[in-house]
């Protein structure tokens, strides 16, 4: 607390990201990073971007490109994304990771109403979902209502009435991993469209098994899909995200971005991001491996008596009868394995476990076995 903070800053409850340990080597299964390295073509593209000079090949030192501002329109990156997803570049909004894109989304499409119309303007999202959504809502002063998800963590879209200020859904949901069929989400989009409201679908994990709604954006002007290269392209450290939607939604996002910072994607992120989107076959191979490892891990956990929520993401949401989430978390941590524990109602006895390499997951399964076999457990 500081006397120099304004009221808005005092009242913030910021998002707390998963731990990035520096002091000790862990098997890191806590922030849904991809366990495989990025495509070699990404590294090449970044090196090339550093080697290029603004005055021709031999006149200036390496890194000269960094002297210049990057392209604020991210033209080449948006062309590459558009071609890969079968949309127009004007239907692509680029950003510094999808967290930033989501921040702009809340500012662009969700309303801060007069007091009397709070109920009709409250945006809706599940009570158990990505914990950044309420943070953005509070930052932008947008009222929200959370809708309880089922005992089995399933989402019933009939609960998301059309009389709201808009809806945001993560598909597959985080941290549960459960997915929703495209048809149900499209039906909701149609209902919201009748009231000029936006449906945002966060597809951060969709490549691991959920149906993407991108093929439907031309039929739904109020549907925005949000994507990241952090998980699917092993580039959490480069910070690349993007949204795909109708031209009017994308233009709205640019208006907010350009009232904040026109250069959210730097020159190296633009080069590496484009190369990643272009190297489809490399990423299909590693992400198929992640999916296969997920399925083997599910079998291993269930055989030990764990409850595992069906997952279409690169993580699993699991619990073990009779051992608290905190105790499981601590036992795994003591064995050098870092997973994510959310100390929140309804999910405090669950752990979210990112899928690592096959070897990582074998070690994880052995550590689970040792934990549950401990006397007293
Ligand atoms: N959406 C969801 C559902 C996530 O879990 C994450 C990762 N924390 C993000 C978006 C943001 O990813 P990034 O900012 O790395 O693109």
């Amino acid at each position: 607390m500081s006397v120099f903070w304004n009221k808005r800053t005092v009242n913030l409850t910021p998002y707390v990201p998963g731990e990035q340990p520096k002091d000790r080597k862990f098997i890191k299964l806590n922030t849904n990073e991809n366990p495989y390295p990025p495509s070699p073509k990404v590294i090449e593209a970044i090196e090339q971007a550093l080697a290029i000079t603004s005055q021709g090949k031999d006149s200036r030192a390496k890194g000269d490109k960094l002297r210049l501002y990057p392209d604020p329109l991210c033209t080449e990156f948006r062309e590459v994304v558009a071609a890969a997803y079968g949309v127009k570049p004007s239907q692509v909004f680029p950003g510094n990771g999808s967290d930033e894109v989501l921040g702009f989304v809340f500012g662009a499409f969700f309303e801060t109403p007069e007091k009397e119309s709070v109920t009709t303007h409250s945006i809706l999202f599940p009570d158990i979902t990505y914990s950044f959504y309420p943070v953005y809502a509070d930052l932008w002063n947008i009222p929200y209502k959370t809708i309880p998800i089922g005992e089995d963590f399933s989402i019933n879209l009939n609960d998301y009435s059309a009389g709201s200020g808009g809806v945001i859904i993560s598909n597959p949901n985080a941290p549960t991993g459960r997915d929703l069929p495209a048809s149900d989400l499209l039906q909701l989009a149609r209902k919201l469209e009748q009231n000029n409201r936006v449906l945002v679908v966060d597809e951060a994990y969709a490549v691991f098994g959920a149906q993407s709604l991108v093929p439907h954006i031309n039929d739904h002007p109020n549907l925005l899909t949000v994507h990241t290269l952090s998980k699917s392209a092993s580039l959490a450290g480069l910070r690349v995200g993007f949204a795909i939607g109708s031209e009017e939604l994308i233009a709205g996002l640019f208006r907010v971005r350009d009232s904040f910072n026109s250069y959210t994607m730097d020159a190296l992120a633009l080069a590496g991001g484009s190369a990643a989107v272009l190297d489809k076959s490399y990423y299909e191979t590693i992400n198929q491996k992640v999916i296969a490892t997920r399925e083997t891990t599910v079998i291993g956990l269930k055989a030990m008596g764990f409850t595992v929520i069906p997952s279409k993401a690169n993580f699993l949401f699991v619990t073990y009868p009779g051992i608290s989430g905190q105790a499981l978390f601590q036992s795994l941590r003591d064995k050098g394995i870092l997973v994510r524990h959310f100390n929140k109602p309804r999910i405090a006895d669950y752990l979210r476990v990112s899928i690592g390499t096959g070897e990582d997951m074998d070690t994880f399964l052995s550590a689970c076995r040792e934990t549950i076999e401990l006397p007293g457990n």
Side-chain angles (χ1 to χ4, degrees), residues 145-339:
K145 208 175 126 199
T146 57
I147 308 288
I149 64 177
E151 277 305 305
D152 59 352
F153 299 139
S154 60
I155 292 172
N156 182 354
L157 288 180
N158 292 324
D159 298 341
Y160 295 74
S161 76
S164 70
V167 175
I168 179 160
I169 295 275
S170 176
N171 191 36
N173 195 20
T176 67
R178 287 200 87 122
D179 68 324
L180 284 161
S183 53
D184 292 6
L185 285 161
L186 293 173
Q187 223 175 358
L188 177 63
R190 195 62 86 202
K191 275 199 228 165
L192 289 165
E193 189 188 343
Q194 285 159 9
N195 290 330
N196 297 333
R197 302 298 195 214
V198 173
L199 172 63
V200 180
V201 181
D202 183 344
E203 297 193 347
Y205 302 100
V207 294
F208 301 103
Q211 285 178 292
S212 172
L213 295 190
V214 172
H216 305 282
I217 58 152
N218 287 330
D219 301 325
H220 299 273
N222 64 328
L223 171 64
L224 190 81
T225 61
V226 180
H227 310 259
T228 173
L229 298 190
S230 295
K231 297 106 193 344
S232 61
S234 315
L235 289 174
L238 196 64
R239 311 306 302 134
V240 183
F242 51 93
I244 300 181
S246 63
E247 286 179 343
E248 54 189 305
L249 292 182
I250 300 307
L253 288 170
F254 271 107
R255 280 173 78 84
V256 176
R257 187 202 73 165
D258 292 341
S259 306
F260 178 77
N261 171 13
S262 302
Y263 304 106
T264 54
M265 276 187 79
D266 65 63
L268 303 184
L270 285 170
S274 298
V277 176
L278 282 170
D279 200 354
K280 249 189 176 158
S281 70
Y282 173 85
Y283 285 113
E284 263 165 27
T285 307
I286 63 165
N287 290 333
Q288 277 309 317
K289 270 208 272 191
V290 171
I291 292 170
T293 309
R294 177 183 74 205
E295 296 312 310
T296 331
T297 309
V298 171
I299 294 168
L301 285 167
K302 282 189 173 166
M304 272 184 256
F306 277 81
T307 301
V308 185
I309 306 301
S311 170
K312 290 288 168 64
N314 67 339
F315 54 83
L316 295 171
F317 206 47
V318 305
T319 185
Y320 190 82
I323 306 185
S324 74
Q326 181 59 39
L328 261 178
F329 169 85
Q330 196 53 50
S331 169
L332 290 168
R333 199 175 198 283
D334 293 345
K335 294 175 175 51
I337 298 167
L338 208 50
V339 298

